[in-house]
Amino acid sequence: MHTAQKIMKVFITRRIPQEGLKILSQAGVCKVSLWDSDEPVPRAELLKGVAGAHGLLCLLSDKIDTEVLDAAGPNLKVISTLSVGFDHMAMDEIKKRGVRVGYTPDVLTDATAELTVALLLATARRLPEGVVEVINGGWSTWKPLWLCGYGLSGSTVGVIGLGRIGMAIARRLKPFGVKKLLYSGRTAKSYAAEVEGEYVPLDTLVSESDFVVVSCALTPDTQGLCNKDFFCKMKNTAVFINTSRGAVVNQEDLYQALSSGQIACAGLDVTTPEPLPTDHPLLTLKNCVVLPHIGSATYSTRGIMAELSANNLLAGLRGTDMPSELKF
């Protein structure tokens, strides 16, 4: 028996890489409406665009709350997010409505781990400062202690959250001659043996590490985790790196720790808010390197993320197995 297939409505909240759009346009099961801009969709347009939609493809910058779900209405079967994080979505409410959720873990692990290592090295070895000195004519004669930083060889590295990305960072840092790799989190991980990772309480990690790398998920437990108390326990020669979520860090406390010399330097790829206002105190500090959330920004990674989010969306519309479904 053949029944004509109903064409389902899909709303995409932003211009995404072509690879993803192509998959959806060729699938023949959905009509796509797209907020065709590189800038985030305004709230009013999001509520309008999602009305009656069967599927929603969103980004980290879109707050998917009860209001959005209500605006979508009972047709909504699937939400696919072009991200590994899902703290922008009201998960309890989504679950209550039986809406399936797709996300893009794994595919951005390598790119994010590489960027974390790049940020760590740039921060510890004062690369942005060095570039500025060359441009401004601050580079004169060779001086023994000028622009000296901190090296990884023989150091202790602490990774907070040894998940996919944390583990990928640890794998990359080990060959630099790291002497000890500590990690903390909810549970000890069997796979940590591969990098000789030692499971320790957070306090131990913070006080013993020369490099503290944050790569945990944002949860009520980790919100504001890196605060005054946290920074006070760090060595004053220690380097702090965060490529997880901005809200894990209390930025006022970080500013105090950096400006008072409580810790040596910090590198952030994530902040609150994003973008960070150009007059933010952190941006006045030489010992703070801030990047514009580019952890997964390689051409190939973003293309693959778009493909995966499109395939997740289609599976949700068709009621088939998703390549990467968030189980909650």
Side-chain angles (χ1 to χ4, degrees):
M1 180 180 133
H2 180 75
T3 51
Q5 200 169 16
K6 184 166 111 262
I7 296 290
M8 291 181 269
K9 180 186 169 183
V10 163
F11 182 62
I12 304 181
T13 64
R14 189 91 63 92
R15 206 180 283 152
I16 63 167
Q18 279 306 315
E19 292 94 328
L21 294 172
K22 209 166 116 188
I23 288 169
L24 294 175
S25 65
Q26 290 173 356
V29 297
C30 57
K31 183 181 185 303
V32 172
S33 65
L34 167 74
W35 176 252
D36 196 9
S37 166
D38 286 329
E39 296 303 315
V41 60
R43 185 75 179 176
E45 293 294 335
L46 171 60
L47 295 171
K48 206 160 74 186
V50 81
H54 298 86
L56 170 65
L57 199 159
C58 66
L59 277 65
L60 214 47
S61 47
D62 307 311
K63 199 165 176 43
I64 309 301
D65 53 15
T66 306
E67 189 184 16
V68 172
L69 296 168
D70 285 344
N75 279 349
L76 191 66
K77 296 167 167 276
V78 57
I79 299 168
S80 175
T81 181
L82 189 88
S83 65
V84 63
F86 44 87
D87 44 277
H88 55 302
M89 302 191 282
M91 297 306 290
D92 292 346
E93 196 57 43
I94 291 168
K95 183 180 182 177
K96 217 190 297 181
R97 295 169 192 234
V99 176
R100 293 170 71 190
V101 177
Y103 69 139
T104 61
D106 299 323
V107 295
L108 49 67
T109 299
D110 287 341
T112 307
E114 285 172 14
L115 188 277
T116 305
V117 175
L119 176 59
L120 184 148
L121 292 169
T123 303
R125 295 299 301 273
R126 301 168 68 175
L127 301 196
E129 255 185 282
V131 170
V132 169
E133 293 290 355
V134 173
I135 293 166
N136 292 349
W139 180 14
S140 56
T141 173
W142 186 88
K143 307 182 191 85
L145 289 176
W146 187 58
L147 283 176
C148 280
Y150 300 92
L152 279 162
S153 185
S155 71
T156 297
V157 171
V159 179
I160 298 173
L162 199 73
R164 292 183 196 89
I165 295 172
M167 187 62 186
I169 294 165
R171 275 195 199 103
R172 284 161 175 76
L173 290 177
K174 277 301 266 194
F176 280 94
V178 169
K179 193 166 84 197
K180 232 167 134 186
L181 200 127
L182 310 176
Y183 73 98
S184 68
R186 282 183 306 234
T187 54
K189 309 286 189 218
S190 56
Y191 52 75
E194 188 200 319
V195 290
E196 299 167 58
E198 193 185 322
Y199 184 59
V200 295
L202 183 64
D203 279 3
T204 306
L205 182 147
V206 175
S207 58
E208 291 184 12
S209 297
D210 300 300
F211 297 86
V212 173
V213 181
V214 184
S215 65
C216 56
L218 176 62
T219 65
D221 290 342
T222 61
Q223 178 118 20
L225 174 77
C226 307
N227 57 12
K228 184 175 196 278
D229 185 43
F230 178 102
F231 296 122
C232 283
K233 290 179 183 136
M234 282 175 67
K235 298 178 179 180
N236 55 16
T237 52
V239 177
F240 175 80
I241 303 293
N242 181 22
T243 53
S244 63
R245 284 287 173 265
V248 174
V249 175
N250 178 316
Q251 290 176 170
E252 286 68 37
D253 292 354
L254 175 61
Y255 174 80
Q256 287 306 325
L258 287 167
S259 54
S260 67
Q262 174 67 57
I263 68 173
C265 49
L268 313 172
D269 185 41
V270 286
T271 58
T272 30
E274 291 181 3
L276 197 63
T278 52
D279 61 356
H280 194 280
L282 282 174
L283 301 180
T284 63
L285 300 172
K286 275 186 173 171
N287 59 344
C288 188
V289 177
V290 182
L291 298 179
H293 201 152
I294 50 172
S296 63
T298 67
Y299 291 109
S300 67
T301 298
R302 290 286 167 83
I304 294 165
M305 284 171 73
E307 280 174 20
L308 180 54
S309 58
N311 285 323
N312 282 337
L313 190 73
L314 286 177
L317 294 174
R318 290 172 171 147
T320 54
D321 280 351
M322 255 185 223
S324 211
E325 184 163 5
L326 195 56
K327 299 289 185 193
F328 52 91

PDB file of all heavy atoms in Angstrom, residues 152-188:
ATOM      1  N   LEU A 152      55.832  22.910  29.320  1.00  0.00           N
ATOM      2  CA  LEU A 152      55.126  21.679  29.708  1.00  0.00           C
ATOM      3  C   LEU A 152      56.070  20.577  30.184  1.00  0.00           C
ATOM      4  O   LEU A 152      55.678  19.708  30.960  1.00  0.00           O
ATOM      5  CB  LEU A 152      54.329  21.140  28.515  1.00  0.00           C
ATOM      6  CG  LEU A 152      52.964  21.797  28.258  1.00  0.00           C
ATOM      7  CD1 LEU A 152      52.502  21.506  26.835  1.00  0.00           C
ATOM      8  CD2 LEU A 152      51.934  21.295  29.266  1.00  0.00           C
ATOM      9  N   SER A 153      57.305  20.609  29.706  1.00  0.00           N
ATOM     10  CA  SER A 153      58.251  19.534  30.021  1.00  0.00           C
ATOM     11  C   SER A 153      58.485  19.437  31.535  1.00  0.00           C
ATOM     12  O   SER A 153      58.821  20.430  32.182  1.00  0.00           O
ATOM     13  CB  SER A 153      59.566  19.807  29.299  1.00  0.00           C
ATOM     14  OG  SER A 153      60.429  18.728  29.513  1.00  0.00           O
ATOM     15  N   GLY A 154      58.247  18.251  32.086  1.00  0.00           N
ATOM     16  CA  GLY A 154      58.451  18.023  33.523  1.00  0.00           C
ATOM     17  C   GLY A 154      57.336  18.565  34.408  1.00  0.00           C
ATOM     18  O   GLY A 154      57.445  18.570  35.631  1.00  0.00           O
ATOM     19  N   SER A 155      56.251  19.020  33.789  1.00  0.00           N
ATOM     20  CA  SER A 155      55.182  19.660  34.566  1.00  0.00           C
ATOM     21  C   SER A 155      54.092  18.683  35.003  1.00  0.00           C
ATOM     22  O   SER A 155      54.049  17.530  34.581  1.00  0.00           O
ATOM     23  CB  SER A 155      54.525  20.756  33.722  1.00  0.00           C
ATOM     24  OG  SER A 155      53.768  20.168  32.677  1.00  0.00           O
ATOM     25  N   THR A 156      53.213  19.191  35.866  1.00  0.00           N
ATOM     26  CA  THR A 156      52.007  18.466  36.257  1.00  0.00           C
ATOM     27  C   THR A 156      50.817  19.156  35.613  1.00  0.00           C
ATOM     28  O   THR A 156      50.630  20.366  35.781  1.00  0.00           O
ATOM     29  CB  THR A 156      51.830  18.467  37.791  1.00  0.00           C
ATOM     30  OG1 THR A 156      52.937  17.773  38.369  1.00  0.00           O
ATOM     31  CG2 THR A 156      50.534  17.786  38.216  1.00  0.00           C
ATOM     32  N   VAL A 157      50.043  18.390  34.846  1.00  0.00           N
ATOM     33  CA  VAL A 157      48.848  18.932  34.188  1.00  0.00           C
ATOM     34  C   VAL A 157      47.609  18.348  34.856  1.00  0.00           C
ATOM     35  O   VAL A 157      47.540  17.143  35.100  1.00  0.00           O
ATOM     36  CB  VAL A 157      48.846  18.586  32.680  1.00  0.00           C
ATOM     37  CG1 VAL A 157      47.506  18.941  32.037  1.00  0.00           C
ATOM     38  CG2 VAL A 157      49.976  19.302  31.957  1.00  0.00           C
ATOM     39  N   GLY A 158      46.655  19.198  35.154  1.00  0.00           N
ATOM     40  CA  GLY A 158      45.389  18.752  35.731  1.00  0.00           C
ATOM     41  C   GLY A 158      44.252  19.006  34.771  1.00  0.00           C
ATOM     42  O   GLY A 158      44.077  20.134  34.298  1.00  0.00           O
ATOM     43  N   VAL A 159      43.505  17.962  34.441  1.00  0.00           N
ATOM     44  CA  VAL A 159      42.354  18.102  33.536  1.00  0.00           C
ATOM     45  C   VAL A 159      41.072  17.909  34.342  1.00  0.00           C
ATOM     46  O   VAL A 159      40.863  16.860  34.960  1.00  0.00           O
ATOM     47  CB  VAL A 159      42.419  17.071  32.383  1.00  0.00           C
ATOM     48  CG1 VAL A 159      41.201  17.210  31.467  1.00  0.00           C
ATOM     49  CG2 VAL A 159      43.701  17.238  31.576  1.00  0.00           C
ATOM     50  N   ILE A 160      40.235  18.932  34.339  1.00  0.00           N
ATOM     51  CA  ILE A 160      38.951  18.838  35.045  1.00  0.00           C
ATOM     52  C   ILE A 160      37.905  18.382  34.038  1.00  0.00           C
ATOM     53  O   ILE A 160      37.527  19.117  33.134  1.00  0.00           O
ATOM     54  CB  ILE A 160      38.567  20.192  35.664  1.00  0.00           C
ATOM     55  CG1 ILE A 160      39.622  20.605  36.694  1.00  0.00           C
ATOM     56  CG2 ILE A 160      37.180  20.125  36.302  1.00  0.00           C
ATOM     57  CD1 ILE A 160      39.439  21.999  37.258  1.00  0.00           C
ATOM     58  N   GLY A 161      37.472  17.125  34.174  1.00  0.00           N
ATOM     59  CA  GLY A 161      36.517  16.534  33.240  1.00  0.00           C
ATOM     60  C   GLY A 161      37.227  15.752  32.160  1.00  0.00           C
ATOM     61  O   GLY A 161      37.571  16.292  31.115  1.00  0.00           O
ATOM     62  N   LEU A 162      37.491  14.468  32.433  1.00  0.00           N
ATOM     63  CA  LEU A 162      38.216  13.642  31.460  1.00  0.00           C
ATOM     64  C   LEU A 162      37.218  12.872  30.586  1.00  0.00           C
ATOM     65  O   LEU A 162      37.209  11.651  30.550  1.00  0.00           O
ATOM     66  CB  LEU A 162      39.183  12.688  32.168  1.00  0.00           C
ATOM     67  CG  LEU A 162      40.311  12.106  31.304  1.00  0.00           C
ATOM     68  CD1 LEU A 162      41.356  13.170  31.003  1.00  0.00           C
ATOM     69  CD2 LEU A 162      40.982  10.924  31.987  1.00  0.00           C
ATOM     70  N   GLY A 163      36.373  13.651  29.889  1.00  0.00           N
ATOM     71  CA  GLY A 163      35.448  13.045  28.931  1.00  0.00           C
ATOM     72  C   GLY A 163      36.145  12.890  27.591  1.00  0.00           C
ATOM     73  O   GLY A 163      37.370  12.793  27.541  1.00  0.00           O
ATOM     74  N   ARG A 164      35.364  12.902  26.505  1.00  0.00           N
ATOM     75  CA  ARG A 164      35.948  12.743  25.165  1.00  0.00           C
ATOM     76  C   ARG A 164      37.020  13.798  24.899  1.00  0.00           C
ATOM     77  O   ARG A 164      38.134  13.480  24.489  1.00  0.00           O
ATOM     78  CB  ARG A 164      34.883  12.938  24.085  1.00  0.00           C
ATOM     79  CG  ARG A 164      33.834  11.863  24.021  1.00  0.00           C
ATOM     80  CD  ARG A 164      32.917  12.196  22.846  1.00  0.00           C
ATOM     81  NE  ARG A 164      31.692  11.444  22.929  1.00  0.00           N
ATOM     82  CZ  ARG A 164      30.604  11.856  23.584  1.00  0.00           C
ATOM     83  NH1 ARG A 164      30.615  13.012  24.224  1.00  0.00           N
ATOM     84  NH2 ARG A 164      29.519  11.123  23.620  1.00  0.00           N
ATOM     85  N   ILE A 165      36.652  15.064  25.133  1.00  0.00           N
ATOM     86  CA  ILE A 165      37.576  16.153  24.796  1.00  0.00           C
ATOM     87  C   ILE A 165      38.731  16.199  25.794  1.00  0.00           C
ATOM     88  O   ILE A 165      39.890  16.348  25.411  1.00  0.00           O
ATOM     89  CB  ILE A 165      36.831  17.502  24.706  1.00  0.00           C
ATOM     90  CG1 ILE A 165      35.840  17.464  23.528  1.00  0.00           C
ATOM     91  CG2 ILE A 165      37.818  18.656  24.524  1.00  0.00           C
ATOM     92  CD1 ILE A 165      34.902  18.651  23.431  1.00  0.00           C
ATOM     93  N   GLY A 166      38.438  16.023  27.074  1.00  0.00           N
ATOM     94  CA  GLY A 166      39.482  16.020  28.102  1.00  0.00           C
ATOM     95  C   GLY A 166      40.539  14.967  27.828  1.00  0.00           C
ATOM     96  O   GLY A 166      41.748  15.207  27.949  1.00  0.00           O
ATOM     97  N   MET A 167      40.073  13.797  27.408  1.00  0.00           N
ATOM     98  CA  MET A 167      40.983  12.691  27.100  1.00  0.00           C
ATOM     99  C   MET A 167      41.823  13.017  25.848  1.00  0.00           C
ATOM    100  O   MET A 167      43.028  12.738  25.803  1.00  0.00           O
ATOM    101  CB  MET A 167      40.165  11.408  26.879  1.00  0.00           C
ATOM    102  CG  MET A 167      40.996  10.170  26.718  1.00  0.00           C
ATOM    103  SD  MET A 167      41.999   9.788  28.179  1.00  0.00           S
ATOM    104  CE  MET A 167      42.930   8.398  27.528  1.00  0.00           C
ATOM    105  N   ALA A 168      41.184  13.620  24.849  1.00  0.00           N
ATOM    106  CA  ALA A 168      41.895  13.986  23.620  1.00  0.00           C
ATOM    107  C   ALA A 168      42.966  15.050  23.904  1.00  0.00           C
ATOM    108  O   ALA A 168      44.041  15.042  23.305  1.00  0.00           O
ATOM    109  CB  ALA A 168      40.907  14.492  22.571  1.00  0.00           C
ATOM    110  N   ILE A 169      42.682  15.942  24.853  1.00  0.00           N
ATOM    111  CA  ILE A 169      43.666  16.953  25.262  1.00  0.00           C
ATOM    112  C   ILE A 169      44.833  16.262  25.966  1.00  0.00           C
ATOM    113  O   ILE A 169      46.004  16.528  25.663  1.00  0.00           O
ATOM    114  CB  ILE A 169      43.022  18.004  26.204  1.00  0.00           C
ATOM    115  CG1 ILE A 169      41.965  18.828  25.458  1.00  0.00           C
ATOM    116  CG2 ILE A 169      44.089  18.925  26.814  1.00  0.00           C
ATOM    117  CD1 ILE A 169      41.030  19.620  26.363  1.00  0.00           C
ATOM    118  N   ALA A 170      44.510  15.361  26.884  1.00  0.00           N
ATOM    119  CA  ALA A 170      45.547  14.642  27.640  1.00  0.00           C
ATOM    120  C   ALA A 170      46.477  13.862  26.704  1.00  0.00           C
ATOM    121  O   ALA A 170      47.700  13.892  26.864  1.00  0.00           O
ATOM    122  CB  ALA A 170      44.885  13.694  28.642  1.00  0.00           C
ATOM    123  N   ARG A 171      45.886  13.197  25.718  1.00  0.00           N
ATOM    124  CA  ARG A 171      46.685  12.432  24.740  1.00  0.00           C
ATOM    125  C   ARG A 171      47.679  13.323  24.008  1.00  0.00           C
ATOM    126  O   ARG A 171      48.785  12.908  23.694  1.00  0.00           O
ATOM    127  CB  ARG A 171      45.767  11.818  23.672  1.00  0.00           C
ATOM    128  CG  ARG A 171      45.178  10.504  24.059  1.00  0.00           C
ATOM    129  CD  ARG A 171      44.611   9.800  22.825  1.00  0.00           C
ATOM    130  NE  ARG A 171      43.685   8.781  23.258  1.00  0.00           N
ATOM    131  CZ  ARG A 171      42.359   8.904  23.218  1.00  0.00           C
ATOM    132  NH1 ARG A 171      41.805  10.003  22.734  1.00  0.00           N
ATOM    133  NH2 ARG A 171      41.587   7.934  23.647  1.00  0.00           N
ATOM    134  N   ARG A 172      47.253  14.533  23.705  1.00  0.00           N
ATOM    135  CA  ARG A 172      48.111  15.456  22.963  1.00  0.00           C
ATOM    136  C   ARG A 172      49.177  16.104  23.845  1.00  0.00           C
ATOM    137  O   ARG A 172      50.246  16.465  23.356  1.00  0.00           O
ATOM    138  CB  ARG A 172      47.253  16.545  22.300  1.00  0.00           C
ATOM    139  CG  ARG A 172      46.527  16.038  21.062  1.00  0.00           C
ATOM    140  CD  ARG A 172      45.355  16.927  20.686  1.00  0.00           C
ATOM    141  NE  ARG A 172      44.748  16.501  19.435  1.00  0.00           N
ATOM    142  CZ  ARG A 172      43.957  15.451  19.310  1.00  0.00           C
ATOM    143  NH1 ARG A 172      43.679  14.700  20.362  1.00  0.00           N
ATOM    144  NH2 ARG A 172      43.446  15.126  18.125  1.00  0.00           N
ATOM    145  N   LEU A 173      48.874  16.273  25.113  1.00  0.00           N
ATOM    146  CA  LEU A 173      49.833  16.943  26.009  1.00  0.00           C
ATOM    147  C   LEU A 173      50.937  16.007  26.498  1.00  0.00           C
ATOM    148  O   LEU A 173      52.059  16.439  26.730  1.00  0.00           O
ATOM    149  CB  LEU A 173      49.103  17.562  27.207  1.00  0.00           C
ATOM    150  CG  LEU A 173      48.219  18.775  26.900  1.00  0.00           C
ATOM    151  CD1 LEU A 173      47.504  19.247  28.164  1.00  0.00           C
ATOM    152  CD2 LEU A 173      49.033  19.926  26.314  1.00  0.00           C
ATOM    153  N   LYS A 174      50.613  14.725  26.631  1.00  0.00           N
ATOM    154  CA  LYS A 174      51.595  13.763  27.155  1.00  0.00           C
ATOM    155  C   LYS A 174      52.948  13.799  26.430  1.00  0.00           C
ATOM    156  O   LYS A 174      53.998  13.822  27.069  1.00  0.00           O
ATOM    157  CB  LYS A 174      51.033  12.328  27.119  1.00  0.00           C
ATOM    158  CG  LYS A 174      50.161  11.956  28.293  1.00  0.00           C
ATOM    159  CD  LYS A 174      50.846  12.068  29.634  1.00  0.00           C
ATOM    160  CE  LYS A 174      51.458  10.739  30.073  1.00  0.00           C
ATOM    161  NZ  LYS A 174      51.829  10.767  31.508  1.00  0.00           N
ATOM    162  N   PRO A 175      52.972  13.814  25.075  1.00  0.00           N
ATOM    163  CA  PRO A 175      54.255  13.796  24.363  1.00  0.00           C
ATOM    164  C   PRO A 175      55.137  15.031  24.599  1.00  0.00           C
ATOM    165  O   PRO A 175      56.298  15.029  24.228  1.00  0.00           O
ATOM    166  CB  PRO A 175      53.852  13.706  22.881  1.00  0.00           C
ATOM    167  CG  PRO A 175      52.450  13.225  22.886  1.00  0.00           C
ATOM    168  CD  PRO A 175      51.835  13.746  24.137  1.00  0.00           C
ATOM    169  N   PHE A 176      54.584  16.066  25.224  1.00  0.00           N
ATOM    170  CA  PHE A 176      55.390  17.247  25.529  1.00  0.00           C
ATOM    171  C   PHE A 176      56.305  17.018  26.739  1.00  0.00           C
ATOM    172  O   PHE A 176      57.005  17.922  27.165  1.00  0.00           O
ATOM    173  CB  PHE A 176      54.489  18.459  25.805  1.00  0.00           C
ATOM    174  CG  PHE A 176      53.962  19.125  24.568  1.00  0.00           C
ATOM    175  CD1 PHE A 176      52.716  18.773  24.044  1.00  0.00           C
ATOM    176  CD2 PHE A 176      54.696  20.104  23.916  1.00  0.00           C
ATOM    177  CE1 PHE A 176      52.222  19.391  22.901  1.00  0.00           C
ATOM    178  CE2 PHE A 176      54.214  20.725  22.773  1.00  0.00           C
ATOM    179  CZ  PHE A 176      52.976  20.366  22.262  1.00  0.00           C
ATOM    180  N   GLY A 177      56.250  15.815  27.290  1.00  0.00           N
ATOM    181  CA  GLY A 177      57.110  15.525  28.435  1.00  0.00           C
ATOM    182  C   GLY A 177      56.450  15.852  29.759  1.00  0.00           C
ATOM    183  O   GLY A 177      57.124  16.114  30.765  1.00  0.00           O
ATOM    184  N   VAL A 178      55.124  15.849  29.775  1.00  0.00           N
ATOM    185  CA  VAL A 178      54.377  16.064  31.022  1.00  0.00           C
ATOM    186  C   VAL A 178      54.738  14.945  31.996  1.00  0.00           C
ATOM    187  O   VAL A 178      54.718  13.767  31.635  1.00  0.00           O
ATOM    188  CB  VAL A 178      52.852  16.078  30.739  1.00  0.00           C
ATOM    189  CG1 VAL A 178      52.055  16.031  32.025  1.00  0.00           C
ATOM    190  CG2 VAL A 178      52.484  17.301  29.912  1.00  0.00           C
ATOM    191  N   LYS A 179      55.081  15.320  33.215  1.00  0.00           N
ATOM    192  CA  LYS A 179      55.541  14.327  34.180  1.00  0.00           C
ATOM    193  C   LYS A 179      54.365  13.613  34.854  1.00  0.00           C
ATOM    194  O   LYS A 179      54.387  12.418  35.076  1.00  0.00           O
ATOM    195  CB  LYS A 179      56.425  15.008  35.232  1.00  0.00           C
ATOM    196  CG  LYS A 179      57.201  13.999  36.089  1.00  0.00           C
ATOM    197  CD  LYS A 179      58.312  14.668  36.878  1.00  0.00           C
ATOM    198  CE  LYS A 179      57.715  15.241  38.153  1.00  0.00           C
ATOM    199  NZ  LYS A 179      58.566  16.241  38.801  1.00  0.00           N
ATOM    200  N   LYS A 180      53.333  14.412  35.175  1.00  0.00           N
ATOM    201  CA  LYS A 180      52.199  13.850  35.907  1.00  0.00           C
ATOM    202  C   LYS A 180      50.911  14.392  35.322  1.00  0.00           C
ATOM    203  O   LYS A 180      50.799  15.599  35.067  1.00  0.00           O
ATOM    204  CB  LYS A 180      52.292  14.299  37.362  1.00  0.00           C
ATOM    205  CG  LYS A 180      52.220  13.170  38.371  1.00  0.00           C
ATOM    206  CD  LYS A 180      52.645  13.673  39.723  1.00  0.00           C
ATOM    207  CE  LYS A 180      51.654  13.192  40.770  1.00  0.00           C
ATOM    208  NZ  LYS A 180      51.967  13.782  42.075  1.00  0.00           N
ATOM    209  N   LEU A 181      49.959  13.497  35.088  1.00  0.00           N
ATOM    210  CA  LEU A 181      48.666  13.926  34.589  1.00  0.00           C
ATOM    211  C   LEU A 181      47.590  13.585  35.612  1.00  0.00           C
ATOM    212  O   LEU A 181      47.335  12.416  35.889  1.00  0.00           O
ATOM    213  CB  LEU A 181      48.357  13.268  33.244  1.00  0.00           C
ATOM    214  CG  LEU A 181      47.285  14.047  32.503  1.00  0.00           C
ATOM    215  CD1 LEU A 181      47.730  14.401  31.100  1.00  0.00           C
ATOM    216  CD2 LEU A 181      45.975  13.302  32.464  1.00  0.00           C
ATOM    217  N   LEU A 182      46.993  14.622  36.196  1.00  0.00           N
ATOM    218  CA  LEU A 182      45.934  14.427  37.185  1.00  0.00           C
ATOM    219  C   LEU A 182      44.596  14.741  36.524  1.00  0.00           C
ATOM    220  O   LEU A 182      44.528  15.550  35.611  1.00  0.00           O
ATOM    221  CB  LEU A 182      46.137  15.368  38.374  1.00  0.00           C
ATOM    222  CG  LEU A 182      47.526  15.412  39.015  1.00  0.00           C
ATOM    223  CD1 LEU A 182      47.564  16.470  40.116  1.00  0.00           C
ATOM    224  CD2 LEU A 182      47.903  14.039  39.575  1.00  0.00           C
ATOM    225  N   TYR A 183      43.538  14.079  36.997  1.00  0.00           N
ATOM    226  CA  TYR A 183      42.220  14.467  36.499  1.00  0.00           C
ATOM    227  C   TYR A 183      41.199  14.319  37.615  1.00  0.00           C
ATOM    228  O   TYR A 183      41.383  13.548  38.565  1.00  0.00           O
ATOM    229  CB  TYR A 183      41.821  13.629  35.270  1.00  0.00           C
ATOM    230  CG  TYR A 183      41.451  12.191  35.541  1.00  0.00           C
ATOM    231  CD1 TYR A 183      40.106  11.800  35.659  1.00  0.00           C
ATOM    232  CD2 TYR A 183      42.426  11.205  35.670  1.00  0.00           C
ATOM    233  CE1 TYR A 183      39.765  10.475  35.893  1.00  0.00           C
ATOM    234  CE2 TYR A 183      42.086   9.882  35.908  1.00  0.00           C
ATOM    235  CZ  TYR A 183      40.755   9.522  36.019  1.00  0.00           C
ATOM    236  OH  TYR A 183      40.410   8.211  36.269  1.00  0.00           O
ATOM    237  N   SER A 184      40.133  15.096  37.512  1.00  0.00           N
ATOM    238  CA  SER A 184      39.053  14.987  38.492  1.00  0.00           C
ATOM    239  C   SER A 184      37.741  14.992  37.737  1.00  0.00           C
ATOM    240  O   SER A 184      37.680  15.394  36.577  1.00  0.00           O
ATOM    241  CB  SER A 184      39.107  16.156  39.474  1.00  0.00           C
ATOM    242  OG  SER A 184      38.789  17.340  38.802  1.00  0.00           O
ATOM    243  N   GLY A 185      36.711  14.556  38.396  1.00  0.00           N
ATOM    244  CA  GLY A 185      35.391  14.456  37.778  1.00  0.00           C
ATOM    245  C   GLY A 185      34.517  13.621  38.688  1.00  0.00           C
ATOM    246  O   GLY A 185      34.916  13.275  39.806  1.00  0.00           O
ATOM    247  N   ARG A 186      33.336  13.259  38.188  1.00  0.00           N
ATOM    248  CA  ARG A 186      32.404  12.503  39.039  1.00  0.00           C
ATOM    249  C   ARG A 186      32.909  11.100  39.347  1.00  0.00           C
ATOM    250  O   ARG A 186      32.702  10.585  40.432  1.00  0.00           O
ATOM    251  CB  ARG A 186      31.024  12.432  38.365  1.00  0.00           C
ATOM    252  CG  ARG A 186      30.228  13.726  38.514  1.00  0.00           C
ATOM    253  CD  ARG A 186      28.864  13.579  37.890  1.00  0.00           C
ATOM    254  NE  ARG A 186      28.993  13.137  36.493  1.00  0.00           N
ATOM    255  CZ  ARG A 186      28.446  13.755  35.465  1.00  0.00           C
ATOM    256  NH1 ARG A 186      27.742  14.851  35.660  1.00  0.00           N
ATOM    257  NH2 ARG A 186      28.595  13.308  34.241  1.00  0.00           N
ATOM    258  N   THR A 187      33.584  10.483  38.347  1.00  0.00           N
ATOM    259  CA  THR A 187      34.046   9.109  38.560  1.00  0.00           C
ATOM    260  C   THR A 187      35.432   8.906  37.952  1.00  0.00           C
ATOM    261  O   THR A 187      35.832   9.652  37.065  1.00  0.00           O
ATOM    262  CB  THR A 187      33.104   8.090  37.844  1.00  0.00           C
ATOM    263  OG1 THR A 187      33.007   8.463  36.461  1.00  0.00           O
ATOM    264  CG2 THR A 187      31.717   8.056  38.457  1.00  0.00           C
ATOM    265  N   ALA A 188      36.133   7.897  38.444  1.00  0.00           N
ATOM    266  CA  ALA A 188      37.413   7.505  37.835  1.00  0.00           C
ATOM    267  C   ALA A 188      37.116   6.855  36.490  1.00  0.00           C
ATOM    268  O   ALA A 188      36.089   6.192  36.329  1.00  0.00           O
ATOM    269  CB  ALA A 188      38.138   6.535  38.754  1.00  0.00           C
TER     270      ALA A 188
END
